[in-house]
Amino acid sequence: MSLINTEVKPFKATAFHNGEFVDVTEANLKGKWSVVFFYPADFTFVCPTELGDLADNYAELKSRDVEVYSVSTDTHFTHKAWHDSSETIGKITYPMIGDPTGIISRNFEVMIEEVGLAERGTFVIDPDGVIQIVEISAGNIGRDASELLRKVKAAQYVAKHPGEVCPAKWKEGEATLAPSLDLVGKI
């Protein structure tokens, strides 16, 4: 069953955020757009490249009223240690949620049970707490934050413009489509 158009399930966790440990729940994912970005583990190889790329695009996401939450099955203590010891991870200013019990990973259906790690899952959640975008990648394939940003822009656009859809490769400011009988077979 797809998680698209489902509401985020309840959870409570601790995150490392801007030098502090903070509580985060599903309520934090409501009231603005959110990106929940799962990755397998701290102190690994592909993960820091993804998280660093996301950090490089964080200001633009924030300017669009989007909060980013990275999540792994590591603890918030491990997130702090990684943040303090890695130049790439040290530039992160979004919350890094610890999910050592796997509850959040299971809620989003990205838990790899046999190893206790999360898949590379990306979820874009609207201000009502409803999942609008789901992307899952194999562990050896890194994601691109610029593509995520494009998808966030498209999701925000269609949310503000009911009856319009964004075609493939749509970029902000380009033409959209208004599905109708007149378009059938003409695209």
Side-chain angles (χ1 to χ4, degrees):
M1 182 175 126
S2 174
L3 292 176
I4 295 289
N5 290 319
T6 64
E7 193 167 336
V8 174
K9 294 177 183 175
F11 70 87
K12 182 177 181 184
T14 303
F16 177 70
H17 186 218
N18 291 330
E20 297 181 359
F21 295 134
V22 297
D23 291 333
V24 179
T25 71
E26 76 285 351
N28 294 96
L29 306 181
K30 296 182 180 179
K32 66 173 117 182
W33 288 84
S34 300
V35 170
V36 180
F37 196 85
F38 289 88
Y39 64 96
D42 292 0
F43 295 101
T44 56
F45 313 103
V46 175
C47 300
T49 66
E50 292 183 310
L51 296 175
D53 184 35
L54 200 52
D56 293 341
N57 286 273
Y58 184 53
E60 188 168 357
L61 287 161
K62 287 291 281 185
S63 76
R64 302 190 67 80
D65 200 30
V66 178
E67 184 55 84
V68 173
Y69 300 89
S70 65
V71 184
S72 77
T73 55
D74 298 290
T75 67
H76 53 288
F77 300 113
T78 306
H79 292 332
K80 180 192 182 319
W82 195 25
H83 189 273
D84 291 350
S85 65
S86 166
E87 184 177 324
T88 300
I89 300 305
K91 65 185 177 182
I92 291 174
T93 57
Y94 51 79
M96 301 177 73
I97 299 175
D99 184 29
T101 65
I103 290 171
I104 306 168
S105 299
R106 286 183 188 91
N107 282 354
F108 283 85
E109 299 180 9
V110 294
M111 177 61 87
I112 308 167
E113 292 295 342
E114 58 273 13
V115 293
L117 301 174
E119 297 277 9
R120 292 189 194 291
T122 308
F123 298 83
V124 176
I125 300 160
D126 71 19
D128 294 322
V130 176
I131 299 169
Q132 296 298 319
I133 296 173
V134 175
E135 178 185 23
I136 310 292
S137 302
N140 56 357
I141 301 171
R143 294 162 282 182
D144 183 333
S146 63
E147 175 59 10
L148 171 61
L149 183 58
R150 186 196 72 79
K151 290 177 183 180
V152 166
K153 290 176 182 179
Q156 290 179 330
Y157 183 90
V158 298
K160 289 180 184 173
H161 300 91
E164 293 184 48
V165 297
C166 295
K169 299 183 181 181
W170 177 87
K171 294 201 175 33
E172 193 170 35
E174 293 181 351
T176 59
L177 300 170
S180 69
L181 186 59
D182 295 340
L183 284 182
V184 174
K186 295 190 174 131
I187 297 175

